[in-house]
């Protein structure tokens, strides 16, 4: 997904002070704040605009900026900095109604103490050290979900952490008002792909609705020969095409069928303003083949996707796609498929029947056609490739009935031990952290789904920030996880949510 998704979005840079210091000090605070905001805005590490707002010094000004942020369509969150001491009671009215994500930047204008010249005027002007603590207290007192970043505003690590938060805020912002289409229903009798769509819309802001496959087929049948031919020309420029799919090949008509399905899907999704969709092999009436290639290509453009009606994974994947726009690596729908239980190196082979996003391909994908044992349709076209080696993660959004849980497991993607000449699907092979036995047991204990959002571009911090914005439970399985501690964490979480009656904070 390209960075166009960030083009119109912005974070507001809000700086607190008070009139106690006099007009000259307030002018200096404003000048310093503007310089910091401009630097953040111009930083290549932060992909969206940082908009300077006039400094706030009264409860009325703070309340007004929070009201304006809530109603500003392009504002995805607020970065707050206490240049001086801003009495926190002034912030109560504004913060209690703020609905946008909040980051507290605990920084100061000058990096170093001027040892030879420092005096009380300097001390009064540069009060982040305790002004930020005053602001932090009111956030804690109000039980506000927020991120705190500490360090000098020119420090690359500080910029990186702001970038992570800003990307998470964009993912959260994008879901509000988003629409997801389910072509057909959930895979029959499956539990984890079900869920409460009303609760999801309340918690995350996105809507999920079902559509008959016939609605999609109308768009597929409307694809013209010229559209199909032009799209196949694009395929030839982008992929390594199997001989049987060439114009003289025996399966060329199947490629044209796949192209028609892609054109129809794109038309349906564009006309309806959808940001993601689901399919299921049990609802294909009127389609000549299970959509494989079309789903892969639409995912690569940023659409969320879930197989077998899994709308929660489709929504999560869309948010992850927004977060990783412009980053190296990629993000895809994924499924834990089979294990390698060799004691010398246990691994997980992740894949799906067809629908793995080429954004995680380690080389130019190969377009192939092979039989599919389920679905009862013609052989589907698909892209085949391996994911590159390197760090990654799997994320699962699950509905526990009383709340949603976001479960994340860090992994190390590795190259296959040997070629896979008879496995005609895209795939990724990884070693879960801390190891397969602990990670799989922890995943099962936490109720994680078999469908995930797999990413080699995002970090745990992106998804943790996102979960706090969404006010949903976050559970991490990583190199430090033990089953003993994880079981305690799950029990504590259950108790917390039961006692508070909250789905989040």
């Amino acid at each position: 997904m390209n960075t166009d998704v960030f083009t119109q979005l912005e974070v507001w840079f809000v700086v607190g002070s008070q009139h106690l210091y006099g007009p000259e000090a307030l002018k200096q605070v404003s000048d310093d704040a503007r310089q910091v905001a401009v630097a953040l805005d111009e930083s290549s590490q932060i992909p969206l605009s940082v908009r300077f707002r006039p400094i706030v010094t009264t409860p009325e000004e703070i309340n007004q900026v929070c009201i304006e942020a809530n109603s500003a369509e392009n504002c995805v969150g607020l970065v707050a900095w206490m240049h001086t001491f801003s009495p926190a009671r002034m912030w109560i009215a504004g913060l209690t109604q703020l609905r946008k994500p909040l980051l507290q930047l605990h920084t100061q204008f000058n990096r170093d103490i001027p040892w030879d010249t420092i005096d009380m005027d300097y001390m009064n002007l540069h009060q982040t050290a305790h002004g930020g603590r005053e602001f932090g207290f009111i956030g804690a007192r109000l039980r506000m979900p927020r991120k705190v970043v500490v360090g000098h505003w020119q420090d690359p690590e500080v910029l990186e952490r702001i970038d992570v938060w800003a990307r998470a805020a964009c993912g959260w912002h994008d879901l509000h008002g988003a629409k997801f289409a389910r072509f057909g229903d959930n895979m029959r009798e499956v539990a984890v792909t079900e869920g409460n769509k009303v609760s999801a819309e309340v918690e995350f802001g996105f809507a999920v609705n079902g559509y008959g496959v016939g609605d999609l087929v109308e768009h597929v049948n409307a694809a013209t020969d010229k559209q199909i031919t032009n799209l196949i020309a694009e395929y030839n420029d982008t992929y390594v095409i199997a001989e049987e799919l060439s114009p003289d090949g025996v399966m060329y008509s199947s490629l044209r069928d796949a192209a028609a399905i892609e054109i129809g899907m794109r038309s349906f999704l564009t006309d309806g303003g959808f940001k993601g969709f689901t399919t299921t092999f049990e609802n294909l009436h009127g389609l000549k083949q299970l959509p494989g290639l079309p789903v892969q290509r639409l995912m690569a453009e940023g659409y969320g996707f879930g197989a077998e009606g899994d709308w929660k994974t489709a929504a999560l994947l869309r948010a992850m796609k927004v977060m990783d726009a412009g980053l190296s690596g990629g993000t895809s729908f994924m499924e834990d498929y089979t294990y390698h239980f060799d004691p010398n190196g246990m691994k997980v082979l992740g894949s799906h029947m067809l629908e793995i996003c080429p954004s995680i391909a380690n080389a130019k994908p190969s377009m192939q056609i092979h039989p599919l044992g389920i679905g009862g349709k013609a052989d589907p076209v698909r892209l085949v490739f391996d994911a590159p080696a390197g760090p990654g993660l799997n994320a699962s959004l699950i509905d526990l009935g009383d709340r949603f849980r976001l479960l994340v497991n860090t992994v190390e993607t590795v190259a296959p031990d040997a070629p896979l000449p008879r496995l005609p699907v895209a795939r990724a092979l990884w070693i879960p952290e801390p190891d397969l036995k602990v990670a799989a047991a922890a995943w099962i204990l936490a109720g994680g789904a078999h469908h995930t959002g797999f990413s080699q571009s995002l970090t745990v911090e992106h998804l943790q920030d996102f979960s706090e914005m969404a006010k949903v439970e976050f559970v991490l399985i990583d190199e430090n996880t033990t089953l003993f501690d994880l079981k305690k964490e799950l029990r504590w979480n259950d108790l917390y949510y039961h006692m508070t009656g909250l789905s989040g904070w």
Side-chain angles (χ1 to χ4, degrees):
M1 189 169 184
N2 61 46
T3 56
D4 289 347
V5 69
F6 301 131
T7 301
Q8 301 298 322
L9 301 181
E10 59 189 23
V11 296
W12 287 7
F13 192 71
V14 179
V15 177
S17 187
Q18 60 178 323
H19 286 282
L20 178 66
Y21 309 109
E24 288 188 10
L26 288 181
K27 182 181 183 306
Q28 187 64 54
V29 169
S30 181
D31 291 345
D32 291 350
R34 185 183 297 276
Q35 184 173 332
V36 173
V38 169
L40 296 179
D41 182 58
E42 294 177 348
S43 171
S44 61
Q45 288 184 259
I46 301 173
L48 64 163
S49 297
V50 178
R51 179 183 172 191
F52 172 73
R53 294 300 307 256
I55 64 171
V56 289
T57 58
T58 67
E60 292 76 18
E61 291 172 348
I62 294 168
N63 192 41
Q64 184 62 34
V65 78
C66 290
I67 291 173
E68 291 175 3
N70 286 340
S71 59
E73 183 178 352
N74 294 336
C75 174
V76 303
L78 270 59
V79 174
W81 173 35
M82 302 304 109
H83 188 307
T84 61
F85 193 87
S86 178
R89 283 176 56 195
M90 295 196 305
W91 289 83
I92 293 174
L95 292 182
T96 52
Q97 65 180 328
L98 180 66
R99 298 193 303 273
K100 296 293 177 77
L102 176 67
L103 180 146
Q104 180 181 348
L105 179 58
H106 194 57
T107 190
Q108 64 184 30
F109 186 73
N110 294 327
R111 190 193 69 176
D112 303 327
I113 293 175
W115 305 105
D116 295 337
T117 60
I118 186 170
D119 55 19
M120 285 309 300
D121 288 338
Y122 181 97
M123 295 277 278
N124 287 332
L125 187 63
H126 298 85
Q127 292 191 60
T128 290
H130 70 291
R133 283 169 167 78
E134 170 76 355
F135 184 75
F137 166 76
I138 205 62
R141 178 66 175 80
L142 297 175
R143 308 297 193 269
M144 285 196 67
R146 72 244 191 247
K147 182 170 187 171
V148 179
V149 176
V150 180
H152 193 254
W153 51 276
Q154 293 175 316
D155 183 347
E157 182 182 349
V158 167
L159 296 173
E160 181 181 354
R161 297 200 64 212
I162 296 173
D163 168 62
V164 168
W165 172 85
R167 288 175 175 276
C170 289
W172 174 237
H173 177 83
D174 181 81
L175 283 186
H176 284 76
K179 298 192 297 182
F180 293 84
R182 299 178 77 200
F183 296 122
D185 198 3
N186 189 63
M187 182 179 172
R188 298 171 196 133
E189 308 297 344
V190 176
V192 76
T193 52
E194 289 282 13
N196 190 320
K197 294 189 283 292
V198 174
S199 295
E201 190 163 356
V202 171
E203 295 296 325
F204 299 97
F206 63 81
V208 182
N209 287 294
Y211 296 87
V213 178
D215 296 329
L216 171 60
V217 170
E218 288 184 6
H219 286 257
V220 173
N221 291 342
T224 66
D225 286 341
K226 182 177 181 180
Q227 287 176 311
I228 292 170
T229 299
N230 290 342
L231 185 55
I232 290 175
E234 183 179 328
Y235 294 164
N236 280 282
D237 291 339
T238 310
Y239 312 113
V240 178
I241 311 294
E243 180 62 31
E244 59 266 35
L245 295 174
S246 67
D248 297 327
V250 295
M251 302 301 289
Y252 182 66
S253 62
S254 294
L255 180 59
R256 293 189 69 85
D257 291 338
I261 293 174
E262 178 179 338
I263 292 166
M265 277 190 155
R266 192 184 308 278
S267 170
F268 185 99
L269 297 171
T270 300
D271 288 354
F274 295 102
K275 292 183 177 179
F277 63 100
T278 71
T279 63
T280 174
F281 62 87
E282 290 180 325
N283 294 100
L284 295 174
H285 185 71
L287 294 177
K288 294 182 179 180
Q289 58 184 260
L290 175 66
L293 173 66
V295 172
Q296 291 178 293
R297 284 175 48 82
L298 287 165
M299 264 195 290
E301 292 180 16
Y303 283 96
F305 172 74
E308 288 95 49
D310 188 354
W311 52 270
K312 297 187 299 299
T313 300
L316 175 62
L317 186 65
R318 167 63 186 191
M320 294 172 70
K321 287 283 189 180
V322 171
M323 289 184 232
D324 87 346
L327 297 178
S328 59
T331 298
S332 175
F333 172 80
M334 187 59 71
E335 178 174 284
D336 288 46
Y337 226 102
T338 194
Y339 291 139
H340 184 62
F341 270 142
D342 184 345
N344 295 319
M346 296 186 183
K347 305 177 181 73
V348 180
L349 181 60
S351 186
H352 204 255
M353 293 182 292
L354 304 171
E355 308 97 336
I356 303 299
C357 179
S359 67
I360 65 168
N362 67 349
K364 195 173 188 178
S366 172
M367 184 182 290
Q368 302 177 20
I369 184 168
H370 300 276
L372 185 67
I374 58 177
K377 293 291 182 176
D379 300 347
V381 181
R382 80 289 303 270
L383 299 175
V384 179
F385 53 84
D386 289 301
L393 58 80
N394 276 302
S396 172
L397 181 64
I398 57 176
D399 185 348
L400 293 175
D402 62 340
R403 67 188 187 276
F404 289 94
R405 171 181 288 162
L406 181 58
L407 179 63
V408 174
N409 182 204
T410 53
V411 304
E412 184 67 27
T413 314
V414 295
D417 295 6
L420 301 163
R422 299 187 55 157
L423 185 63
V425 290
R427 59 262 172 160
L429 185 71
W430 64 79
I431 301 170
E433 293 182 334
D435 58 56
L436 192 153
K437 288 184 176 181
V438 172
W443 192 271
I444 289 168
L445 288 167
H450 56 285
H451 291 162
T452 64
F454 171 83
S455 183
Q456 293 184 300
S457 55
L458 298 179
T459 65
V460 169
E461 189 177 3
H462 289 97
L463 292 170
Q464 188 172 25
D465 285 354
F466 174 81
S467 72
E468 292 185 355
M469 294 170 189
K471 301 180 183 178
V472 298
E473 179 187 3
F474 181 82
V475 175
L476 175 64
I477 303 168
D478 65 2
E479 61 183 355
N480 299 313
T481 296
T482 68
L483 293 181
F484 180 77
D485 288 337
L486 181 96
K487 289 178 181 179
K488 289 194 296 184
E489 179 182 354
L490 297 178
R491 293 186 186 115
W492 292 338
N493 289 359
D494 280 341
L495 180 62
Y496 168 79
Y497 290 109
H498 176 73
M499 291 180 65
T500 62
L502 298 175
S503 58
W505 284 71

